[in-house]
């Protein structure tokens, strides 16, 4: 029977017969098949399976690891809905905690710790204390995670029972996997606790780095996460620790690579030598490029983290811009992220190559991607002054295709270019005016109306163009209506004879025939301004035609404080969403740079607020412990 057949919707009555049948069942084959069907239906949210709770509990007692796994999974899934029945399974689970097989002991322990019922929590405390000292490392590892899960359910019980001290002892275990599990449990507890904080000293951090090579990917990730609790007291020791960690950048696992980058970036805040910092961050380039050959999902994670790192150190991938050029089979979310990175890496040296690439993107069939490519060209014109003419020529070539959405995006970005470079590239206005029929989106219409109003004295038929837009004034969105109102007033100021009739009509619509308060208020403001300054047109010109604030792409960049905080969360969802971790996960403490004599002055304002019970290295490591962590 193939696995796919298990996912056919089953009836509770039929499955109960298979579980309780008196027929001979060699090796429990029939019961295993029935349980597989139950688990499959449970996965498909078939709520009828909850009726089988008593029958499944009877199977827990069978001497079969495979059956126990499925029964425990069923118990975890439905324990909240049937707490009274779940409590009946507790004696069997507690007996399994003393089983001779370490797999059954660990499996039972994991099941009990995953059931958030008071009876299970109370019954788990004493077995956990014993299993933290179990002779089998797999059981000890499971016990460490069990303490963290129990703390999440009942923190006060864990703190009173001394289980945290039991986890402390695992940090001097002779097995690296157990050490990493203990660190993971303590990190999880202290991250969510208001009164505890993990702190690791140099000697103990050094021992953790030493055992990294003996750990699997999961364990290395746990250790790297815990190393963020190490606060260097001297720039030399911070540099040495970063150098010792750098070989992990060559690891094949993306999580290990990103975790290593996170720790090294953290340590750079405590290194005083700028040249040493530059040498360290340059090593990020090759591993980040390597991650781009992974599957799309990993590529996306790597790209989002690249984007964040490049905000601080754009030079590390300055010569590798071609690896960020989009491939034909890239999903849209990867293409868009690559586009953002290309924009970050753009410079006078590579702008021509980038414009050629963006010109190709603008001929794609994906409308969303084409729009972003056109917008990127306009932003490059604002970012790099010397490349503005080349960018505008590229935009004009795209406008000449007369593709509606390309023309509209080009109109929007050209408006921003005019604001950045006033009185410089207005000769292209005539090209835009020839494509008014292509504009049907509010943002594009508002941009074109702004251009006509701002340069009404240079556009010979500006009154006719505005009149064409005003024909549908009452049906337009508020964004376009506000733009039309302002543009008409500008036309009247610059060309009174041609704008007088239009401005009176628009002011009447805006003040008497609209329900929108913003439009009405602006209409009254302009009306009173024009009426009160009729004897002195210069006053009106100074207000309406005043110099616009400078436009810059720097406003798109994250502020320094946000970048510093996000860099401490490289490899997490925080780096993907570009939001502080406290905004993504409720109850999680934000990471801060700890005060230290080695902390660079520019970073000294990043302090960790609040009072914590400070668990120092002495609490966590023993100098006479196991082989791997002992002196």
């Amino acid at each position: 029977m193939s696995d796919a057949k298990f996912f056919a919707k089953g009836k509770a009555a039929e499955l109960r017969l298979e579980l309780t049948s008196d027929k001979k069942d060699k090796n429990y084959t029939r019961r295993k098949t029935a349980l597989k069907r139950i688990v499959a239906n449970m996965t498909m949210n078939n709520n009828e399976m909850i009726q089988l709770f008593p029958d499944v509990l009877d199977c827990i007692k069978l001497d079969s690891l495979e059956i126990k796994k499925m029964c425990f999974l069923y118990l975890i899934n439905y324990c909240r809905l049937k707490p009274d029945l779940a409590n009946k399974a507790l004696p069997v689970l507690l007996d399994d905690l003393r089983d001779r097989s370490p797999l059954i002991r660990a499996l039972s322990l994991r099941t009990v710790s995953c059931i958030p019922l008071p009876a299970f929590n109370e019954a788990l405390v004493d077995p956990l204390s014993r299993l933290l000292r179990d002779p089998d490392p797999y059981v000890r590892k499971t016990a460490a995670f069990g303490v963290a899960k129990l703390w999440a359910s009942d923190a006060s019980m864990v703190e009173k029972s001394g289980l945290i001290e039991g986890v402390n002892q695992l940090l001097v275990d002779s097995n690296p996997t157990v050490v990493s599990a203990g660190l993971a449990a303590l990190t999880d507890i202290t991250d969510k606790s208001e009164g505890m904080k993990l702190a690791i000293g140099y000697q103990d951090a050094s021992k953790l780095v030493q055992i990294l090579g003996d750990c699997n990917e999961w364990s290395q990730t746990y250790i790297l996460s815990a190393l963020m609790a190490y606060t260097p007291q001297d720039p030399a020791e911070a540099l040495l620790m970063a150098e010792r960690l750098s070989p992990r950048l060559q690891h094949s696992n993306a999580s290990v690579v990103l975790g290593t980058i996170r720790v090294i970036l953290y340590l750079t805040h405590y290194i005083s030598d700028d040249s040493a910092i530059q040498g360290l961050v340059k090593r990020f380039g090759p591993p980040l490029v390597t991650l781009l050959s992974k599957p799309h999902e990993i590529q996306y994670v790597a790209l989002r983290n690249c984007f964040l790192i490049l905000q601080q150190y754009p030079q590390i991938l300055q010569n590798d811009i071609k690896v960020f050029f989009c491939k034909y089979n890239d999903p849209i979310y990867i293409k868009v992220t690559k586009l953002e990175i290309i924009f970050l890496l753009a410079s006078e040296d590579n702008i021509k190559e980038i414009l050629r690439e963006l010109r190709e993107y603008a001929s794609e069939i994906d409308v969303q991607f084409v729009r972003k490519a056109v917008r990127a060209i306009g932003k490059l014109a604002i970012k790099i002054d010397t490349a503005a003419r080349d960018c505008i020529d590229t935009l004009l070539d795209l406008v000449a295709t007369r593709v509606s959405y390309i023309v509209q995006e080009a109109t929007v970005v050209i408006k921003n270019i005019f604001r950045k470079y006033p009185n410089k590239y207005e000769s292209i206005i005539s090209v835009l005016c020839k494509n008014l029929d292509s504009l049907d989106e509010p943002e594009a219409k508002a941009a074109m109306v702004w251009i006509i109003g701002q340069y009404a004295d240079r556009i010979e038929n500006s009154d006719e163009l505005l009149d064409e837009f005003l024909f549908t004034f009452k049906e337009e969105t508020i964004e376009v209506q506000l733009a039309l109102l302002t543009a008409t007033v500008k036309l009247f100021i610059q060309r009174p004879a041609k704008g007088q009739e239009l401005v009176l009509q628009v002011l009447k619509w805006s003040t008497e025939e609209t329900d929108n308060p913003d439009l009405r208020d602006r209409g009254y403001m302009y009306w009173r301004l024009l009426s009160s300054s009729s004897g002195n047109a210069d006053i009106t010109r100074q207000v309406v035609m005043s110099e616009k604030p400078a436009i810059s792409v720097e406003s798109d960049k994250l502020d320094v404080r946000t970048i510093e905080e996000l860099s401490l969360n490289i490899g997490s969802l925080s780096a993907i969403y570009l939001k502080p971790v406290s905004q993504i996960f409720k109850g999680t403490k934000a990471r801060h740079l700890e005060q230290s004599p080695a902390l660079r002055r520019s970073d000294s304002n990043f302090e960790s607020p609040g009072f914590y019970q400070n668990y120092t290295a002495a609490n966590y490591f023993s100098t006479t412990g196991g082989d791997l962590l002992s002196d």
Side-chain angles (χ1 to χ4, degrees):
M1 189 176 191
S2 66
D3 290 346
K5 294 181 179 179
F6 293 128
F7 287 87
K9 189 172 182 179
K11 298 290 184 181
E14 298 174 1
L15 293 169
R16 180 179 288 113
L17 287 175
E18 294 184 31
L19 287 176
T20 59
S21 175
D22 294 332
K23 294 180 180 179
K24 289 185 178 180
D25 190 9
K26 187 177 180 181
N27 297 326
Y28 311 115
T29 305
R30 190 177 63 256
R31 285 187 175 91
K32 289 178 183 178
T33 301
L35 285 169
K36 287 179 180 178
R37 291 182 61 192
I38 291 171
V39 171
N41 276 266
M42 183 179 71
T43 306
M44 296 187 297
N45 295 322
N46 184 351
N47 293 327
E48 194 175 341
M49 295 300 104
I50 197 172
Q51 301 174 22
L52 300 172
F53 210 119
D55 306 293
V56 173
L57 289 184
D58 290 338
C59 295
I60 291 181
K61 303 172 185 178
L62 299 177
D63 187 19
S64 169
L65 180 61
E66 186 177 1
I67 286 179
K68 284 183 180 292
K69 284 181 179 179
M70 290 185 284
C71 290
F72 290 167
L73 184 62
Y74 180 94
L75 184 61
I76 292 170
N77 193 64
Y78 288 127
C79 64
R80 293 176 184 271
L81 301 176
K82 296 284 186 177
D84 294 336
L85 290 174
N87 288 336
K88 293 181 179 180
L90 184 55
V92 180
L93 289 166
L94 293 177
D95 287 342
D96 285 344
L97 290 176
R98 294 184 178 276
D99 196 276
R100 287 181 298 175
S101 169
L103 288 177
I104 291 181
R105 292 201 302 275
L107 180 61
S108 179
L109 174 58
R110 186 172 61 193
T111 303
V112 177
S113 61
C114 286
I115 297 177
L117 298 177
F120 281 77
N121 292 340
E122 293 172 5
L124 185 60
V125 175
D126 291 336
L128 262 181
S129 300
R130 183 183 75 253
L131 294 172
L132 284 169
R133 302 185 300 274
D134 193 276
D136 190 87
Y138 180 66
V139 178
R140 297 198 298 275
K141 183 191 83 166
T142 307
F145 290 126
V147 172
K149 291 174 183 176
L150 184 58
W151 190 91
S153 297
D154 195 334
S156 61
M157 182 187 297
V158 173
E159 293 172 8
K160 291 176 183 177
S161 63
L163 287 173
I164 292 181
E165 292 304 319
V167 178
N168 293 346
Q169 298 303 314
L170 296 183
L171 301 182
V172 293
D173 199 279
S174 59
N175 189 294
T177 303
V178 176
V179 174
S180 66
L183 281 170
L186 287 171
T187 301
D188 185 63
I189 290 171
T190 54
D191 278 352
K192 296 174 182 176
S193 170
E194 293 295 331
M196 290 187 292
K197 183 177 70 170
L198 181 65
I200 298 177
Y202 174 72
Q203 294 297 328
D204 304 310
S206 181
K207 292 173 184 177
L208 290 175
V209 174
Q210 182 180 345
I211 67 172
L212 274 172
D214 300 323
C215 300
N216 61 20
E217 290 90 344
W218 282 101
S219 298
Q220 289 188 48
T221 302
Y222 296 147
I223 291 175
L224 289 168
S225 179
L227 283 173
M228 297 295 289
Y230 159 61
T231 305
Q233 300 299 312
D234 181 78
E237 73 178 41
L239 178 59
L240 178 59
M241 189 64 66
E243 291 285 356
R244 292 181 61 190
L245 281 169
S246 58
R248 297 291 102 199
L249 293 171
Q250 309 306 318
H251 203 281
S252 59
N253 184 273
S255 180
V256 174
V257 172
L258 293 175
T260 304
I261 289 175
R262 179 180 65 243
V263 178
I264 293 177
L265 280 176
Y266 164 69
L267 292 173
T268 58
H269 295 289
Y270 298 90
I271 299 174
S272 56
D273 187 351
D274 289 336
S275 61
I277 293 175
Q278 294 301 321
L280 286 170
V281 298
K282 281 183 179 178
R283 300 178 193 179
F284 298 165
L288 287 173
V289 170
T290 302
L291 291 180
L292 299 184
S293 61
K294 301 281 185 179
H296 289 143
E297 293 78 11
I298 296 179
Q299 277 189 53
Y300 181 67
V301 173
L303 287 167
R304 295 302 294 173
N305 284 278
C306 275
F307 180 75
L308 176 57
I309 295 168
L310 291 172
Q311 297 268 344
Q312 286 181 291
Y313 303 104
Q315 71 276 12
I316 64 174
L317 292 169
Q318 197 73 50
N319 299 324
D320 297 306
I321 194 168
K322 285 187 177 181
V323 302
F324 297 106
F325 286 173
C326 300
K327 300 176 182 177
Y328 74 94
N329 60 343
D330 282 340
I332 182 62
Y333 56 89
I334 286 183
K335 287 182 176 180
V336 171
T337 308
K338 283 184 174 180
L339 208 56
E340 294 174 348
I341 294 176
I342 289 172
F343 175 77
L344 271 181
L345 295 177
S347 64
E348 293 183 11
D349 298 329
N350 57 23
I351 186 63
K352 291 187 181 296
E353 184 178 24
I354 290 174
L355 284 177
R356 285 196 298 270
E357 190 71 14
L358 293 178
R359 179 68 177 82
E360 290 295 323
Y361 298 163
S363 61
E364 295 264 353
I365 59 173
D366 190 316
V367 176
Q368 179 187 357
F369 183 55
V370 171
R371 287 177 178 275
K372 290 187 177 294
V374 174
R375 191 156 293 204
I377 296 172
K379 291 174 68 176
L380 285 172
I382 297 171
K383 178 182 179 181
I384 305 173
D385 296 357
T386 56
R389 171 48 67 182
D390 291 335
C391 294
I392 290 174
D393 290 342
T394 304
L395 289 172
L396 292 179
D397 290 341
L398 295 174
V399 169
T401 62
R402 301 187 71 83
V403 177
S404 174
Y405 52 86
I406 292 180
V407 173
Q408 299 193 84
E409 283 297 327
T411 303
V412 172
V413 296
I414 288 174
K415 168 205 165 183
N416 293 332
I417 293 174
F418 285 164
R419 285 189 57 187
K420 171 70 174 180
Y421 307 104
N423 305 317
K424 194 169 183 180
Y425 299 110
E426 285 76 10
S427 58
I428 67 173
I429 293 177
S430 58
V431 178
L432 297 178
C433 292
K434 294 176 182 177
N435 293 275
L436 292 183
D437 294 339
S438 302
L439 306 181
D440 56 18
E441 296 175 1
E443 188 179 10
K445 283 185 176 181
M448 191 64 216
V449 168
W450 182 90
I451 293 173
I452 295 172
Q454 187 70 19
Y455 302 101
D457 56 339
R458 306 186 190 186
I459 303 174
E460 186 176 348
N461 60 337
S462 55
D463 56 326
E464 297 175 4
L465 296 177
L466 278 181
D467 191 29
E468 188 175 336
F469 280 106
L470 290 172
F471 185 75
T472 57
F473 180 85
K474 296 180 181 179
E475 290 77 37
E476 298 290 355
T477 62
I478 184 61
E479 178 185 4
V480 178
Q481 288 179 339
L482 289 169
L484 283 168
L485 173 59
T486 302
T488 308
V489 173
K490 288 179 179 179
L491 171 66
F492 174 70
I493 292 172
Q494 296 177 82
R495 306 177 72 175
K498 291 193 174 183
Q500 184 173 358
E501 184 178 346
L502 290 179
V503 77
L504 289 173
Q505 183 64 59
V506 173
L507 287 173
K508 182 180 179 182
W509 286 338
S510 302
T511 56
E512 298 178 9
E513 301 180 21
T514 183
D515 295 329
N516 187 282
D518 294 331
L519 181 62
R520 187 168 57 247
D521 288 350
R522 187 178 295 190
Y524 278 123
M525 183 196 73
Y526 282 140
W527 202 317
R528 290 171 182 170
L529 181 64
L530 293 171
S531 301
S532 62
S533 58
S534 56
N536 190 349
D538 290 339
I539 296 177
T540 307
R541 180 180 291 271
Q542 289 174 10
V543 173
V544 180
M545 303 295 295
S546 60
E547 186 176 346
K548 305 297 179 293
I551 189 171
S552 170
V553 295
E554 293 298 318
S555 58
D556 294 339
K557 297 186 70 174
L558 299 170
D559 63 89
V560 176
R561 191 178 186 87
T562 302
I563 292 175
E564 295 288 356
E565 183 175 349
L566 292 178
S567 68
L568 301 180
N569 293 282
I570 291 286
S572 70
L573 284 176
S574 180
I576 293 177
Y577 289 121
L578 297 180
K579 292 182 178 179
V581 68
S582 57
Q583 294 183 18
I584 300 175
F585 301 107
K586 292 182 179 179
T588 302
K589 291 187 294 194
R591 284 176 173 163
H592 301 273
L593 297 174
E594 295 294 335
Q595 285 299 321
S596 162
L599 185 63
R600 292 164 67 94
R601 289 186 178 181
S602 59
D603 300 320
S604 59
N605 59 326
F606 296 102
E607 301 181 20
S608 56
F611 170 78
Y612 297 99
Q613 179 181 346
N614 204 340
Y615 278 80
T616 61
N619 295 109
Y620 288 97
F621 298 95
S622 168
T623 55
T624 59
D627 296 333
L628 287 171
L629 288 177
S630 61
D631 292 331

